[in-house]
Structures are given as structure tokens and as C-alpha cells.
Amino acid sequence: AQQFFRRGFLRLFSKDRCLSPCESLAGLRDEHLTAAVAKVKIAASLAAFSIWSFNGPVVWGNPHSGGENYDVEHLLQNVQQIKAADTAFAAILGNGSVVTWGDPTWGGFSDDVVLQNVRSISGSSTSFGAVLQNGGVVTWGEGQEDIQEVQDELHDVQEIVATSTAFCALRSDGSVVTWGNREMGGEVTPQVRRKLREVCQVKEIG
């Protein structure tokens, strides 16, 4: 089937079943086929799941952990990425805007920040951080007071990752900027900082 369409895809559907991408199309005359060409987006908070596929968004689990999104479900169109905090979710849409739901204190409410032209998102336990197309960073949720100390350094950012209570941003010059709980990665000692040069990638563990 993939050879016939000359394009890779994840799933191929007829009206009543899911076909394998390697399955022959022989015998499927006059059948209407649907190909899913985008990956399914999935994320998990402490007690809820969120999935977005070509059928649209589906969430379930504890309502207090983002297991309900009735208020924003109609906004979840063309989702590009879903990330979770402990009790909230954030989704980037195709137009670069962000939709959030879940515990409003721990990242489920973002109306007080401007989230446009967002490239990527990372979530800690109680907050989110977003990298903008211009290399800037926007954060929202609980415990983001420390970002004020490094705000002037948060430019030309390529990506950010998070521990449970701290963030690390990688800049285009290979340097890193951290903020948040000092005992959970939010502070870099001088000995470690000397080694953090020409960094290519940062990853959270777990």
C-alpha cells in the first residue's frame, strides 16, 4: 500500500477495519481509504492521559489531573505537541498557539501569558516552559519566580527540558541557562558550568 501511494504513513483505514501499511490493496476495489500520515500525540500527567490522533483529542483519568477538557476541546485542532505537568496539559496547535487545561494553579491556566509562535513546550511538576520561534522563553504555572533572575539570558534558546521543579534551556551558542529549585537542577555550580560549553543537546532523565 505504501508503494502504491508513494508516501509513508502510520495507518491505513477502510470503512470497517485498520489495514497494515504493508498490506496489498488487491481486492479493495471501490473502497474509500483513509491514511493517517501524522504520529499520534500522547502525554500523561500523574493521573490522566491525553491523546490526539486524526480522530481528534481524547482525554481520560482524574478530572483534577487534566482528565477532562470540555472547556477547551473545541480549540484542539491540528495539535502538534502535547506535554504534561503533574496535574495539567498543554498542547501546541499548528498556528503556534497553545491550549492548556487541568489544574489552573499548576499550569492548566495560561491566559495571563502570551503564547503565540510557540516552537516547543516542556513541563515540570507544577509549571510549563515554552520556547518561541524567536528564541525567547515563556513560563506559567507554580514556582516560576526564579526565572526573573535569568530572564535576560533567555534568548536564542533552542530547547528547554525540566526536572520536577527546575528548567534547563539550551541556547544556540551551546551554553545553558537554568532556573528553579536549586537542589533539583536549577543551579549549576562553577565546576560544572566550566564543562557546559558547546552543548549540543539536553535531556531529562525519566
Side-chain angles (χ1 to χ4, degrees):
Q2 298 211 48
Q3 292 179 346
F4 179 84
F5 285 106
R6 297 182 180 178
R7 181 175 183 182
F9 49 82
L10 300 175
R11 292 290 187 273
L12 188 65
F13 299 87
S14 68
K15 64 179 180 180
D16 55 2
R17 68 189 182 95
C18 176
L19 287 71
S20 165
C22 298
E23 186 172 340
S24 172
L25 296 181
L28 292 177
R29 294 179 180 178
D30 300 323
E31 283 271 13
H32 178 77
L33 301 178
T34 301
V37 297
K39 289 184 178 180
V40 172
K41 284 81 175 177
I42 183 169
S45 66
L46 280 180
F49 292 99
S50 176
I51 289 179
W52 193 92
S53 67
F54 72 98
N55 286 321
V58 179
V59 300
W60 71 96
N62 190 317
H64 300 293
S65 291
E68 290 182 355
N69 66 349
Y70 303 126
D71 293 340
V72 299
E73 184 175 7
H74 65 287
L75 301 175
L76 292 170
Q77 306 293 325
N78 193 21
V79 172
Q80 303 298 303
Q81 183 187 44
I82 299 175
K83 289 293 184 177
D86 279 359
T87 57
F89 291 93
I92 303 177
L93 307 186
N95 62 5
S97 63
V98 174
V99 177
T100 58
W101 68 96
D103 188 316
T105 302
W106 285 13
F109 179 81
S110 57
D111 288 359
D112 53 352
V113 293
V114 178
L115 291 170
Q116 299 293 332
N117 300 313
V118 173
R119 182 194 306 160
S120 64
I121 290 176
S122 184
S124 69
S125 290
T126 61
S127 60
F128 291 98
V131 180
L132 307 182
Q133 292 291 348
N134 65 4
V137 172
V138 176
T139 61
W140 67 99
E142 184 77 12
Q144 285 300 304
E145 298 81 5
D146 289 347
I147 194 175
Q148 301 301 324
E149 301 176 9
V150 297
Q151 191 69 62
D152 291 343
E153 302 176 53
L154 291 173
H155 54 85
D156 301 318
V157 173
Q158 300 298 301
E159 61 178 316
I160 59 175
V161 295
T163 64
S164 59
T165 55
F167 286 88
C168 176
L170 174 63
R171 292 176 24 175
S172 59
D173 62 0
S175 64
V176 299
V177 180
T178 61
W179 68 96
N181 188 318
R182 287 167 169 74
E183 296 181 356
M184 300 294 285
E187 182 178 54
V188 179
T189 64
Q191 294 87 344
V192 173
R193 185 167 295 280
R194 284 194 291 269
K195 301 177 182 179
L196 292 175
R197 298 176 180 175
E198 300 181 356
V199 178
C200 297
Q201 189 178 40
V202 289
K203 287 284 187 181
E204 65 262 14
I205 298 175

mmCIF file of all heavy atoms in Angstrom, residues 27-64:
data_model
loop_
_atom_site.group_PDB
_atom_site.id
_atom_site.type_symbol
_atom_site.label_atom_id
_atom_site.label_comp_id
_atom_site.label_asym_id
_atom_site.label_seq_id
_atom_site.Cartn_x
_atom_site.Cartn_y
_atom_site.Cartn_z
ATOM 1 N N GLY A 27 -8.035 -6.443 -4.149
ATOM 2 C CA GLY A 27 -9.329 -6.829 -3.591
ATOM 3 C C GLY A 27 -10.053 -5.704 -2.892
ATOM 4 O O GLY A 27 -11.137 -5.908 -2.339
ATOM 5 N N LEU A 28 -9.468 -4.494 -2.891
ATOM 6 C CA LEU A 28 -10.105 -3.355 -2.228
ATOM 7 C C LEU A 28 -10.691 -2.380 -3.243
ATOM 8 O O LEU A 28 -10.669 -1.174 -3.064
ATOM 9 C CB LEU A 28 -9.094 -2.635 -1.337
ATOM 10 C CG LEU A 28 -8.605 -3.405 -0.113
ATOM 11 C CD1 LEU A 28 -7.564 -2.600 0.630
ATOM 12 C CD2 LEU A 28 -9.756 -3.769 0.814
ATOM 13 N N ARG A 29 -11.220 -2.897 -4.300
ATOM 14 C CA ARG A 29 -11.794 -2.051 -5.343
ATOM 15 C C ARG A 29 -12.997 -1.265 -4.805
ATOM 16 O O ARG A 29 -13.797 -1.779 -4.038
ATOM 17 C CB ARG A 29 -12.232 -2.899 -6.528
ATOM 18 C CG ARG A 29 -11.078 -3.580 -7.257
ATOM 19 C CD ARG A 29 -11.585 -4.421 -8.417
ATOM 20 N NE ARG A 29 -10.478 -5.073 -9.120
ATOM 21 C CZ ARG A 29 -10.653 -5.901 -10.144
ATOM 22 N NH1 ARG A 29 -11.888 -6.174 -10.579
ATOM 23 N NH2 ARG A 29 -9.600 -6.451 -10.728
ATOM 24 N N ASP A 30 -13.087 -0.015 -5.231
ATOM 25 C CA ASP A 30 -14.193 0.874 -4.848
ATOM 26 C C ASP A 30 -14.269 1.107 -3.342
ATOM 27 O O ASP A 30 -15.298 1.539 -2.829
ATOM 28 C CB ASP A 30 -15.540 0.319 -5.351
ATOM 29 C CG ASP A 30 -15.578 0.176 -6.854
ATOM 30 O OD1 ASP A 30 -15.005 1.053 -7.529
ATOM 31 O OD2 ASP A 30 -16.168 -0.800 -7.349
ATOM 32 N N GLU A 31 -13.181 0.825 -2.635
ATOM 33 C CA GLU A 31 -13.149 1.090 -1.202
ATOM 34 C C GLU A 31 -12.653 2.522 -0.963
ATOM 35 O O GLU A 31 -11.748 3.005 -1.646
ATOM 36 C CB GLU A 31 -12.199 0.115 -0.493
ATOM 37 C CG GLU A 31 -12.782 -1.278 -0.300
ATOM 38 C CD GLU A 31 -13.552 -1.403 0.991
ATOM 39 O OE1 GLU A 31 -13.845 -0.352 1.621
ATOM 40 O OE2 GLU A 31 -13.882 -2.532 1.356
ATOM 41 N N HIS A 32 -13.251 3.197 0.012
ATOM 42 C CA HIS A 32 -12.769 4.514 0.421
ATOM 43 C C HIS A 32 -11.738 4.301 1.521
ATOM 44 O O HIS A 32 -12.038 3.722 2.566
ATOM 45 C CB HIS A 32 -13.920 5.366 0.949
ATOM 46 C CG HIS A 32 -13.486 6.715 1.440
ATOM 47 N ND1 HIS A 32 -13.175 7.751 0.591
ATOM 48 C CD2 HIS A 32 -13.289 7.173 2.699
ATOM 49 C CE1 HIS A 32 -12.816 8.806 1.303
ATOM 50 N NE2 HIS A 32 -12.882 8.479 2.581
ATOM 51 N N LEU A 33 -10.495 4.756 1.298
ATOM 52 C CA LEU A 33 -9.411 4.547 2.246
ATOM 53 C C LEU A 33 -8.986 5.872 2.870
ATOM 54 O O LEU A 33 -8.991 6.911 2.210
ATOM 55 C CB LEU A 33 -8.211 3.901 1.559
ATOM 56 C CG LEU A 33 -8.453 2.540 0.898
ATOM 57 C CD1 LEU A 33 -7.177 2.057 0.225
ATOM 58 C CD2 LEU A 33 -8.943 1.519 1.914
ATOM 59 N N THR A 34 -8.612 5.780 4.143
ATOM 60 C CA THR A 34 -8.102 6.940 4.870
ATOM 61 C C THR A 34 -6.723 6.605 5.401
ATOM 62 O O THR A 34 -6.546 5.580 6.065
ATOM 63 C CB THR A 34 -9.027 7.319 6.045
ATOM 64 O OG1 THR A 34 -10.328 7.616 5.539
ATOM 65 C CG2 THR A 34 -8.470 8.522 6.798
ATOM 66 N N ALA A 35 -5.733 7.454 5.125
ATOM 67 C CA ALA A 35 -4.369 7.233 5.594
ATOM 68 C C ALA A 35 -4.037 8.218 6.699
ATOM 69 O O ALA A 35 -4.292 9.419 6.564
ATOM 70 C CB ALA A 35 -3.377 7.384 4.446
ATOM 71 N N ALA A 36 -3.511 7.708 7.808
ATOM 72 C CA ALA A 36 -3.030 8.557 8.896
ATOM 73 C C ALA A 36 -1.541 8.787 8.687
ATOM 74 O O ALA A 36 -0.736 7.867 8.820
ATOM 75 C CB ALA A 36 -3.285 7.895 10.252
ATOM 76 N N VAL A 37 -1.163 10.017 8.334
ATOM 77 C CA VAL A 37 0.222 10.309 7.990
ATOM 78 C C VAL A 37 0.972 11.015 9.124
ATOM 79 O O VAL A 37 2.170 11.245 9.026
ATOM 80 C CB VAL A 37 0.298 11.166 6.714
ATOM 81 C CG1 VAL A 37 -0.267 10.409 5.546
ATOM 82 C CG2 VAL A 37 -0.433 12.491 6.902
ATOM 83 N N ALA A 38 0.283 11.372 10.191
ATOM 84 C CA ALA A 38 0.926 12.052 11.317
ATOM 85 C C ALA A 38 0.948 11.131 12.527
ATOM 86 O O ALA A 38 0.065 10.298 12.709
ATOM 87 C CB ALA A 38 0.168 13.333 11.667
ATOM 88 N N LYS A 39 1.983 11.289 13.352
ATOM 89 C CA LYS A 39 2.089 10.476 14.547
ATOM 90 C C LYS A 39 1.033 10.879 15.567
ATOM 91 O O LYS A 39 0.663 12.033 15.686
ATOM 92 C CB LYS A 39 3.478 10.632 15.170
ATOM 93 C CG LYS A 39 4.591 9.983 14.381
ATOM 94 C CD LYS A 39 5.907 10.104 15.133
ATOM 95 C CE LYS A 39 7.026 9.409 14.375
ATOM 96 N NZ LYS A 39 8.323 9.517 15.095
ATOM 97 N N VAL A 40 0.565 9.893 16.318
ATOM 98 C CA VAL A 40 -0.353 10.162 17.417
ATOM 99 C C VAL A 40 0.416 10.878 18.533
ATOM 100 O O VAL A 40 1.546 10.507 18.849
ATOM 101 C CB VAL A 40 -0.950 8.850 17.943
ATOM 102 C CG1 VAL A 40 -1.759 9.098 19.204
ATOM 103 C CG2 VAL A 40 -1.812 8.192 16.875
ATOM 104 N N LYS A 41 -0.166 11.933 19.076
ATOM 105 C CA LYS A 41 0.453 12.659 20.181
ATOM 106 C C LYS A 41 -0.160 12.161 21.485
ATOM 107 O O LYS A 41 -1.378 12.078 21.613
ATOM 108 C CB LYS A 41 0.228 14.166 20.067
ATOM 109 C CG LYS A 41 1.107 14.845 19.022
ATOM 110 C CD LYS A 41 0.565 14.691 17.627
ATOM 111 C CE LYS A 41 1.409 15.484 16.629
ATOM 112 N NZ LYS A 41 0.933 15.294 15.246
ATOM 113 N N ILE A 42 0.677 11.831 22.467
ATOM 114 C CA ILE A 42 0.179 11.306 23.730
ATOM 115 C C ILE A 42 1.023 11.842 24.873
ATOM 116 O O ILE A 42 2.233 12.030 24.721
ATOM 117 C CB ILE A 42 0.172 9.763 23.723
ATOM 118 C CG1 ILE A 42 -0.427 9.211 25.026
ATOM 119 C CG2 ILE A 42 1.576 9.209 23.488
ATOM 120 C CD1 ILE A 42 -0.697 7.734 24.990
ATOM 121 N N ALA A 43 0.383 12.121 25.993
ATOM 122 C CA ALA A 43 1.080 12.583 27.191
ATOM 123 C C ALA A 43 0.323 12.097 28.409
ATOM 124 O O ALA A 43 -0.876 11.795 28.338
ATOM 125 C CB ALA A 43 1.198 14.109 27.204
ATOM 126 N N ALA A 44 1.019 12.015 29.540
ATOM 127 C CA ALA A 44 0.409 11.544 30.780
ATOM 128 C C ALA A 44 0.775 12.466 31.927
ATOM 129 O O ALA A 44 1.949 12.810 32.104
ATOM 130 C CB ALA A 44 0.869 10.127 31.094
ATOM 131 N N SER A 45 -0.228 12.884 32.691
ATOM 132 C CA SER A 45 0.017 13.590 33.943
ATOM 133 C C SER A 45 0.112 12.540 35.052
ATOM 134 O O SER A 45 0.275 11.352 34.768
ATOM 135 C CB SER A 45 -1.110 14.590 34.220
ATOM 136 O OG SER A 45 -2.327 13.899 34.446
ATOM 137 N N LEU A 46 -0.010 12.941 36.305
ATOM 138 C CA LEU A 46 0.050 11.959 37.383
ATOM 139 C C LEU A 46 -1.108 10.975 37.344
ATOM 140 O O LEU A 46 -0.947 9.806 37.691
ATOM 141 C CB LEU A 46 0.054 12.668 38.745
ATOM 142 C CG LEU A 46 1.384 13.251 39.222
ATOM 143 C CD1 LEU A 46 1.196 13.913 40.574
ATOM 144 C CD2 LEU A 46 2.456 12.175 39.310
ATOM 145 N N ALA A 47 -2.282 11.437 36.900
ATOM 146 C CA ALA A 47 -3.459 10.574 36.983
ATOM 147 C C ALA A 47 -4.399 10.722 35.792
ATOM 148 O O ALA A 47 -5.596 10.490 35.912
ATOM 149 C CB ALA A 47 -4.223 10.863 38.279
ATOM 150 N N ALA A 48 -3.866 11.118 34.630
ATOM 151 C CA ALA A 48 -4.709 11.265 33.445
ATOM 152 C C ALA A 48 -3.856 11.121 32.179
ATOM 153 O O ALA A 48 -2.639 11.298 32.210
ATOM 154 C CB ALA A 48 -5.420 12.612 33.443
ATOM 155 N N PHE A 49 -4.538 10.792 31.090
ATOM 156 C CA PHE A 49 -3.894 10.681 29.784
ATOM 157 C C PHE A 49 -4.546 11.649 28.804
ATOM 158 O O PHE A 49 -5.734 11.975 28.922
ATOM 159 C CB PHE A 49 -4.032 9.263 29.216
ATOM 160 C CG PHE A 49 -3.255 8.221 29.961
ATOM 161 C CD1 PHE A 49 -3.880 7.413 30.898
ATOM 162 C CD2 PHE A 49 -1.902 8.036 29.713
ATOM 163 C CE1 PHE A 49 -3.170 6.446 31.586
ATOM 164 C CE2 PHE A 49 -1.187 7.066 30.396
ATOM 165 C CZ PHE A 49 -1.811 6.268 31.331
ATOM 166 N N SER A 50 -3.769 12.069 27.811
ATOM 167 C CA SER A 50 -4.288 12.880 26.719
ATOM 168 C C SER A 50 -3.698 12.375 25.414
ATOM 169 O O SER A 50 -2.479 12.202 25.301
ATOM 170 C CB SER A 50 -3.923 14.354 26.919
ATOM 171 O OG SER A 50 -4.350 15.126 25.816
ATOM 172 N N ILE A 51 -4.568 12.112 24.441
ATOM 173 C CA ILE A 51 -4.138 11.629 23.133
ATOM 174 C C ILE A 51 -4.776 12.500 22.063
ATOM 175 O O ILE A 51 -5.937 12.894 22.174
ATOM 176 C CB ILE A 51 -4.556 10.157 22.915
ATOM 177 C CG1 ILE A 51 -3.728 9.227 23.799
ATOM 178 C CG2 ILE A 51 -4.402 9.745 21.460
ATOM 179 C CD1 ILE A 51 -4.100 7.771 23.662
ATOM 180 N N TRP A 52 -4.005 12.804 21.029
ATOM 181 C CA TRP A 52 -4.564 13.463 19.857
ATOM 182 C C TRP A 52 -4.139 12.677 18.637
ATOM 183 O O TRP A 52 -2.959 12.473 18.377
ATOM 184 C CB TRP A 52 -4.088 14.902 19.735
ATOM 185 C CG TRP A 52 -4.885 15.698 18.735
ATOM 186 C CD1 TRP A 52 -5.994 16.455 18.998
ATOM 187 C CD2 TRP A 52 -4.674 15.790 17.326
ATOM 188 N NE1 TRP A 52 -6.476 17.007 17.845
ATOM 189 C CE2 TRP A 52 -5.678 16.612 16.786
ATOM 190 C CE3 TRP A 52 -3.736 15.247 16.452
ATOM 191 C CZ2 TRP A 52 -5.770 16.927 15.447
ATOM 192 C CZ3 TRP A 52 -3.824 15.539 15.104
ATOM 193 C CH2 TRP A 52 -4.837 16.376 14.610
ATOM 194 N N SER A 53 -5.132 12.205 17.876
ATOM 195 C CA SER A 53 -4.870 11.491 16.633
ATOM 196 C C SER A 53 -5.710 12.143 15.543
ATOM 197 O O SER A 53 -6.314 13.195 15.749
ATOM 198 C CB SER A 53 -5.230 10.010 16.779
ATOM 199 O OG SER A 53 -6.633 9.859 16.932
ATOM 200 N N PHE A 54 -5.765 11.511 14.376
ATOM 201 C CA PHE A 54 -6.548 12.108 13.287
ATOM 202 C C PHE A 54 -8.034 12.137 13.621
ATOM 203 O O PHE A 54 -8.809 12.849 12.981
ATOM 204 C CB PHE A 54 -6.307 11.350 11.966
ATOM 205 C CG PHE A 54 -6.938 10.002 11.913
ATOM 206 C CD1 PHE A 54 -8.157 9.802 11.282
ATOM 207 C CD2 PHE A 54 -6.314 8.916 12.483
ATOM 208 C CE1 PHE A 54 -8.750 8.550 11.230
ATOM 209 C CE2 PHE A 54 -6.898 7.661 12.441
ATOM 210 C CZ PHE A 54 -8.111 7.477 11.821
ATOM 211 N N ASN A 55 -8.459 11.369 14.641
ATOM 212 C CA ASN A 55 -9.853 11.407 15.092
ATOM 213 C C ASN A 55 -10.124 12.561 16.048
ATOM 214 O O ASN A 55 -11.268 12.794 16.432
ATOM 215 C CB ASN A 55 -10.227 10.091 15.775
ATOM 216 C CG ASN A 55 -10.413 8.967 14.788
ATOM 217 O OD1 ASN A 55 -10.951 9.173 13.710
ATOM 218 N ND2 ASN A 55 -9.963 7.776 15.146
ATOM 219 N N GLY A 56 -9.062 13.272 16.458
ATOM 220 C CA GLY A 56 -9.247 14.381 17.376
ATOM 221 C C GLY A 56 -8.736 14.055 18.767
ATOM 222 O O GLY A 56 -8.106 13.028 18.998
ATOM 223 N N PRO A 57 -8.999 14.942 19.733
ATOM 224 C CA PRO A 57 -8.470 14.770 21.084
ATOM 225 C C PRO A 57 -9.312 13.829 21.929
ATOM 226 O O PRO A 57 -10.545 13.796 21.826
ATOM 227 C CB PRO A 57 -8.533 16.189 21.651
ATOM 228 C CG PRO A 57 -9.701 16.812 20.946
ATOM 229 C CD PRO A 57 -9.718 16.209 19.564
ATOM 230 N N VAL A 58 -8.623 13.049 22.777
ATOM 231 C CA VAL A 58 -9.290 12.186 23.747
ATOM 232 C C VAL A 58 -8.524 12.303 25.059
ATOM 233 O O VAL A 58 -7.292 12.166 25.068
ATOM 234 C CB VAL A 58 -9.315 10.715 23.299
ATOM 235 C CG1 VAL A 58 -10.006 9.856 24.361
ATOM 236 C CG2 VAL A 58 -10.008 10.562 21.955
ATOM 237 N N VAL A 59 -9.207 12.588 26.156
ATOM 238 C CA VAL A 59 -8.581 12.619 27.476
ATOM 239 C C VAL A 59 -9.400 11.760 28.431
ATOM 240 O O VAL A 59 -10.609 11.610 28.270
ATOM 241 C CB VAL A 59 -8.477 14.059 28.033
ATOM 242 C CG1 VAL A 59 -7.648 14.937 27.115
ATOM 243 C CG2 VAL A 59 -9.845 14.665 28.264
ATOM 244 N N TRP A 60 -8.728 11.188 29.412
ATOM 245 C CA TRP A 60 -9.438 10.431 30.434
ATOM 246 C C TRP A 60 -8.558 10.337 31.673
ATOM 247 O O TRP A 60 -7.363 10.572 31.620
ATOM 248 C CB TRP A 60 -9.824 9.044 29.932
ATOM 249 C CG TRP A 60 -8.702 8.069 29.746
ATOM 250 C CD1 TRP A 60 -8.275 7.115 30.621
ATOM 251 C CD2 TRP A 60 -7.845 7.952 28.602
ATOM 252 N NE1 TRP A 60 -7.212 6.424 30.099
ATOM 253 C CE2 TRP A 60 -6.937 6.896 28.866
ATOM 254 C CE3 TRP A 60 -7.757 8.629 27.381
ATOM 255 C CZ2 TRP A 60 -5.953 6.519 27.954
ATOM 256 C CZ3 TRP A 60 -6.777 8.253 26.476
ATOM 257 C CH2 TRP A 60 -5.895 7.207 26.757
ATOM 258 N N GLY A 61 -9.186 10.012 32.797
ATOM 259 C CA GLY A 61 -8.473 9.926 34.064
ATOM 260 C C GLY A 61 -9.080 10.867 35.081
ATOM 261 O O GLY A 61 -10.223 11.311 34.954
ATOM 262 N N ASN A 62 -8.304 11.179 36.103
ATOM 263 C CA ASN A 62 -8.771 12.058 37.179
ATOM 264 C C ASN A 62 -9.009 13.471 36.643
ATOM 265 O O ASN A 62 -8.101 14.088 36.087
ATOM 266 C CB ASN A 62 -7.711 12.096 38.285
ATOM 267 C CG ASN A 62 -8.201 12.770 39.544
ATOM 268 O OD1 ASN A 62 -8.852 13.804 39.482
ATOM 269 N ND2 ASN A 62 -7.890 12.198 40.690
ATOM 270 N N PRO A 63 -10.224 14.002 36.802
ATOM 271 C CA PRO A 63 -10.505 15.361 36.312
ATOM 272 C C PRO A 63 -9.580 16.416 36.907
ATOM 273 O O PRO A 63 -9.281 17.420 36.256
ATOM 274 C CB PRO A 63 -11.955 15.595 36.739
ATOM 275 C CG PRO A 63 -12.534 14.232 36.902
ATOM 276 C CD PRO A 63 -11.413 13.370 37.402
ATOM 277 N N HIS A 64 -9.111 16.193 38.136
ATOM 278 C CA HIS A 64 -8.231 17.158 38.780
ATOM 279 C C HIS A 64 -6.801 17.081 38.251
ATOM 280 O O HIS A 64 -5.969 17.922 38.598
ATOM 281 C CB HIS A 64 -8.235 16.945 40.294
ATOM 282 C CG HIS A 64 -9.589 17.090 40.913
ATOM 283 N ND1 HIS A 64 -10.262 18.288 40.958
ATOM 284 C CD2 HIS A 64 -10.419 16.165 41.486
ATOM 285 C CE1 HIS A 64 -11.435 18.119 41.552
ATOM 286 N NE2 HIS A 64 -11.565 16.843 41.877
#
